[in-house]
Amino acid sequence: MNIGVSISSIATLRLPICLHCFRTSKTLISFPSLSLLNSGTSRIFSSMSSSITASMSTSSSPTTDQLPLDDKKPAPPPKPWLIVGLGNPGKKYDRTRHNVGFEMVDTVAEAEGISMSSVSFKALIGKGFIGDVPVMLAKPQTFMNASGESVGAIVSYYKIPLKQVLVIFDDMDLPFAKLRMLPKGGHGGHNGMRSIIDHFKGSRDFPRLRIGIGRPPGKMDAANFVLRPFNKQEREELNFTLQVGTDAIRILLLEGFNKSATFVNTNKPLEQIG
């Protein structure tokens, strides 16, 4: 037998993929006279061992690119707040008592630089931010008694939680220019709120901001009273109330319902200040 083994003949040998074969004296393959192999051959075996070790190490420790896709999905963006003001569309009803919800939304839009030029879901819509909180402002154009058609469609499409839907409306049971923030409740005889609750499948668990417009004088019919405009003194008081309401909405979104309700429900009307 020719003891001399060339590098080329050794390279053609099929070695078992087993590091154990190179670490014990009881190898699975016995090479004749390994001491006769030159230094180049030793380097070949050393390189093969390093390559196998690296391969095994890589396969046992997955990189970030090998992690399941579910582990790398970004968190979904937060749902916006929906701020709805109730009223009737058209110049005939502009700036009347029944439209103070519209006026509050307009005041918020102006204060926060939000354009109300978009029309969708049967409503005038404005999208923007209050602080870092995404917000949608809405003025349904369905007329008061069908407000729920618009509001229900917006909530359903954007999947907005009801706890993030603030509805603003006029209330004859509150003194003029008085605000009241509540976490939930019934419609109180208000047809716009009745429509919204119906389209929320009877749920009343959404916050609301009530704006007092007072009771009709004497024997005036309530329907006629809510469609009356404000006199000069009332307008001054109402403008102050709208500013307070805007601050309350900002507190609601940035600091939570409890702080907003405390701010609103303990606030004094303009006539009591000074």
Side-chain angles (χ1 to χ4, degrees), residues 26-236:
K26 296 181 180 180
T27 58
L28 296 180
I29 296 179
S30 177
F31 296 101
S33 302
L34 288 178
S35 60
L36 298 178
L37 299 179
N38 59 27
S39 60
T41 306
S42 299
R43 284 194 299 271
I44 291 174
F45 284 113
S46 176
S47 177
M48 289 172 62
S49 177
S50 299
S51 177
I52 293 171
T53 302
S55 176
M56 293 177 66
S57 174
T58 301
S59 62
S60 61
S61 302
T63 64
T64 302
D65 293 337
Q66 294 172 319
L67 292 174
L69 292 178
D70 290 343
D71 292 344
K72 298 190 293 183
K73 285 183 178 179
K79 297 293 183 182
W81 268 84
L82 175 61
I83 312 297
V84 180
L86 300 187
N88 287 308
K91 291 184 179 180
K92 177 182 177 181
Y93 305 100
D94 189 36
R95 295 170 71 83
T96 60
R97 297 172 189 272
H98 218 22
N99 273 33
V100 291
F102 275 10
E103 290 199 53
M104 180 66 81
V105 166
D106 288 337
T107 304
V108 172
E110 182 178 359
E112 300 297 336
I114 298 174
S115 172
M116 296 292 296
S117 58
S118 175
V119 179
S120 57
F121 302 102
K122 301 180 181 180
L124 284 173
I125 299 288
K127 297 180 181 180
F129 290 84
I130 294 180
D132 58 354
V133 178
V135 63
M136 292 181 63
L137 306 179
K139 294 163 58 178
Q141 302 295 292
T142 56
F143 287 93
M144 183 70 78
N145 294 359
S147 299
E149 294 179 13
S150 172
V151 179
I154 296 172
V155 169
S156 176
Y157 182 83
Y158 290 100
K159 297 180 173 57
I160 301 175
L162 293 190
K163 66 181 181 179
Q164 290 180 207
V165 178
L166 176 69
V167 181
I168 308 166
F169 62 100
D170 58 293
D171 193 336
M172 288 194 300
D173 292 330
L174 281 179
F176 179 76
K178 177 70 175 178
L179 293 174
R180 182 69 66 197
M181 179 82 76
L182 296 172
K184 58 184 178 180
H187 53 72
H190 193 285
N191 288 333
M193 289 295 289
R194 190 196 308 272
S195 176
I196 289 175
I197 291 172
D198 288 345
H199 281 79
F200 286 171
K201 299 179 179 179
S203 176
R204 303 178 178 190
D205 296 335
F206 57 94
R208 67 280 313 278
L209 179 60
R210 298 158 54 196
I211 304 176
I213 60 172
R215 302 295 302 181
K219 296 182 180 180
M220 180 181 290
D221 180 67
N224 291 329
F225 175 71
V226 298
L227 298 181
R228 287 180 61 181
F230 302 99
N231 61 41
K232 184 177 180 180
Q233 181 180 350
E234 289 174 332
R235 173 52 61 183
E236 182 181 356

